Amino acid sequence: MKNYIIYGADILTFDPAAAYLTGYALKVESGKISRIAPYAELKDEHCESINAEGKILMPGLINAHHHFYSTMVTGFGKAASSGDFNEVLQNLWWRLDKKLMQRDCYVSAAISAINAIRSGCTTIIDHHASPYHITGSLASIAEAVRDTGIRANLCYEVSDRDGIERRDQGIEENLEFLKLYGEEQDEYIKALFGMHAAFTLSDESLHKIAEIVVPAGFGIHIHAAEAQSDQRYNLDHHGKHVVERLADFALINPKSILAHGVHLSPKEMMMVSELGAAIVTNPQSNLNNAVGIANVCKMTELGITVGLGTDAMTVKMLEELRVGLWAQHLRQDNPSAGFMEIASTLLFNNPRIAQKYWGAGHGTLTAGANADMILVDYDPHTPLNEETWIGHVIYGISQARVDSTIVGGEFLMWDGSMLLGLDEAELRSESRSLSQALWERF
Ligand SMILES: [Zn+2]
């Protein structure tokens, strides 16, 4: 792995201590950032120098909740129209995921990862379901992740909805994958224990999962209070809110990710805050499913680390960030509310969440961190500095072209050209054929 310095770019570090740097250079050694210093101090280093004038150098973006397999629904129009979120699940997702086959898992992940590289996203926390091809599905996704060069945290969503046998296969799939990737074994691929949602898991299932997760200290990745119906079900059938029920089984710990949290009670928010788990908001998905808008301001005020995911609506994190901000303005009925709370989800909290799996500094440009970075073509037409950089990210850089994407010091894209060992056109062609076949099986 070669060593090099990048100079000439304005640097956004996502480190609040020194967020904007100009006149600096960054040195990469053995896949890590070894130094960030004024260019004058680094220019005589005996290694390759990359001139990035006219560009912004910033961390590779992190998607904290995604579904690779959803890649295969782009343009799909066969699902019956739905009156509420549960009908969306029944009419589309729970019909479609049953039809996924092993190769679909690989190809959908590879296409989504390639799209992520093109838009500057280098770390993805994914949540997978393919209930009729469970065993080995995570290995297929991991292979795609490896082939594209990004980093991903994978899990299989355990659910009772397809019967006890498939629930147990799902548990086994998580367990086998966690044995391989649950800790420090791999620098690129990580694992969590996936669960669909509390409303598709009986107490017996939660007990069974807790027996595995709690002693091992695994984090869970689950949809929580996405729609009001999740809360209603848990209250009607178990007399508890979603978070109270999960916490009663000791399933929530600091490594856990609760996706959505649109309908959490203040008491549940306090519990999540105390238990140290993250909530990942997915504003485009929530708007699309008409389930509501998460109260990110309130959750932040209560000390929760709120991250940003896309729930597979896109892999463009800066698009999701913008929509998150507009949605929060609407949620708070105040066009000035939520700016820092929403900006922090992507810029500061997603790195904090990812650091639980990938280690110190991940998702930031700081010495010792993984050299996961992007270069963006951006020649600001208004002052760019320590005070204005976040506004530039949301309103300006989000509209600019990602020029280059680097993971572990390796260029996966350079000047807009992909440098993968994969044949992208061939893969897209295969994806069209597989999607056509999937749609016909639907
Ligand atoms: Zn989701």
Side-chain angles (χ1 to χ4, degrees):
M1 195 174 285
K2 65 181 180 181
N3 301 334
Y4 55 88
I5 68 164
I6 299 178
Y7 69 96
D10 279 359
I11 300 177
L12 305 181
T13 66
F14 292 11
D15 171 10
Y20 170 79
L21 302 172
T22 188
Y24 276 61
L26 178 149
K27 185 171 185 189
V28 173
E29 285 184 275
S30 303
K32 305 263 186 198
I33 297 165
S34 61
R35 257 189 102 189
I36 302 174
Y39 178 48
E41 290 179 26
L42 279 174
K43 70 177 187 211
D44 295 328
E45 297 275 324
H46 295 289
C47 60
E48 189 183 340
S49 291
I50 296 165
N51 183 348
E53 272 170 41
K55 302 185 199 306
I56 301 288
L57 176 63
M58 57 195 257
L61 301 169
I62 296 166
N63 186 346
H65 180 72
H66 188 55
H67 303 279
F68 283 129
Y69 71 85
S70 301
T71 307
M72 300 190 102
V73 302
T74 305
F76 181 70
K78 274 171 78 176
S81 69
S82 301
D84 61 26
F85 177 61
N86 279 30
E87 286 184 21
V88 172
L89 292 175
Q90 273 151 18
N91 293 342
L92 174 59
W93 298 112
W94 292 356
R95 283 188 60 185
L96 187 102
D97 65 15
K98 283 186 181 62
K99 308 290 181 182
L100 289 167
M101 310 226 284
Q102 209 71 33
R103 185 67 185 165
D104 300 330
C105 299
Y106 175 92
V107 171
S108 57
I111 295 289
S112 189
I114 288 169
N115 292 342
I117 291 165
R118 287 198 183 282
S119 66
C121 173
T122 54
T123 296
I124 294 178
I125 301 178
D126 194 74
H127 197 263
H128 176 68
S130 52
Y132 284 72
H133 282 88
I134 297 173
T135 305
S137 59
L138 295 181
S140 294
I141 297 170
E143 190 188 346
V145 168
R146 190 89 68 198
D147 288 349
T148 54
I150 66 161
R151 295 183 209 262
N153 185 322
L154 309 179
C155 70
Y156 186 87
E157 58 155 70
V158 175
S159 169
D160 295 345
R161 68 181 155 93
D162 296 299
I164 295 309
E165 204 177 308
R166 292 181 201 289
R167 176 202 70 182
D168 290 346
Q169 275 180 33
I171 291 174
E172 199 55 31
E173 181 69 0
N174 278 305
L175 204 47
E176 288 303 310
F177 202 73
L178 278 156
K179 279 184 199 158
L180 293 174
Y181 299 107
E183 292 181 29
E184 310 292 314
Q185 303 98 318
D186 194 281
E187 285 185 37
Y188 289 80
I189 296 168
K190 302 289 179 184
L192 284 166
F193 194 100
M195 301 159 68
H196 171 251
F199 74 93
T200 68
L201 289 159
S202 68
D203 277 354
E204 191 228 329
S205 296
L206 293 186
H207 179 70
K208 193 164 182 173
I209 292 166
E211 281 187 326
I212 295 164
V213 164
V214 176
F218 297 142
I220 63 166
H221 185 181
I222 185 170
H223 297 116
E226 178 172 2
Q228 188 65 57
S229 54
D230 191 8
Q231 290 291 16
R232 211 178 307 122
Y233 180 92
N234 282 280
L235 285 167
D236 289 351
H237 291 80
H238 303 281
K240 293 170 195 164
H241 283 98
V242 172
V243 169
E244 293 168 316
R245 189 162 163 245
L246 296 172
D248 278 354
F249 287 92
L251 283 164
I252 303 176
N253 65 28
K255 279 178 124 179
S256 299
I257 291 178
L258 310 183
H260 301 294
V262 177
H263 295 279
L264 295 179
S265 68
K267 184 182 166 200
E268 288 177 291
M269 290 185 194
M270 285 302 298
M271 290 174 74
V272 174
S273 176
E274 281 161 17
L275 292 165
I279 290 177
V280 172
T281 186
N282 302 269
Q284 295 202 80
S285 164
N286 296 156
L287 292 168
N288 183 50
N289 288 326
V291 294
I293 299 165
N295 195 342
V296 175
C297 291
K298 182 74 183 168
M299 294 194 269
T300 305
E301 187 190 313
L302 292 174
I304 298 172
T305 303
V306 185
L308 186 70
T310 65
D311 209 15
M313 291 291 287
T314 179
V315 287
K316 295 184 175 179
M317 294 313 298
L318 296 177
E319 174 192 312
E320 191 74 33
L321 181 68
R322 284 162 61 88
V323 175
L325 183 55
W326 322 150
Q328 201 60 204
H329 290 167
L330 192 61
R331 176 71 174 79
Q332 307 299 338
D333 194 21
N334 177 350
S336 303
F339 180 84
M340 271 316 292
E341 288 89 340
I342 294 295
S344 296
T345 61
L346 179 69
L347 306 179
F348 305 125
N349 294 345
N350 277 6
R352 275 183 201 126
I353 294 167
Q355 284 164 19
K356 296 176 185 180
Y357 320 112
W358 280 278
H362 189 73
T364 70
L365 302 188
T366 50
N370 289 322
D372 295 8
M373 310 179 280
I374 58 175
L375 287 166
V376 182
D377 286 326
Y378 190 64
D379 187 7
H381 58 275
T382 57
L384 172 60
N385 55 46
E386 190 66 44
E387 280 75 47
T388 64
W389 72 273
I390 293 178
H392 274 274
V393 169
I394 296 171
Y395 295 94
I397 294 169
S398 64
Q399 311 304 299
R401 168 184 175 265
V402 177
D403 169 278
S404 297
T405 301
I406 303 160
V407 176
E410 297 286 343
F411 279 79
L412 304 182
M413 182 171 79
W414 167 254
D415 192 18
S417 295
M418 299 298 273
L419 303 173
L420 305 170
L422 292 169
D423 184 336
E424 186 182 346
E426 176 65 36
L427 203 57
R428 288 188 185 277
S429 167
E430 184 184 1
S431 178
R432 283 192 295 279
S433 306
L434 289 174
S435 302
Q436 172 92 42
L438 174 67
W439 296 6
E440 281 165 13
R441 290 194 300 276
F442 184 81

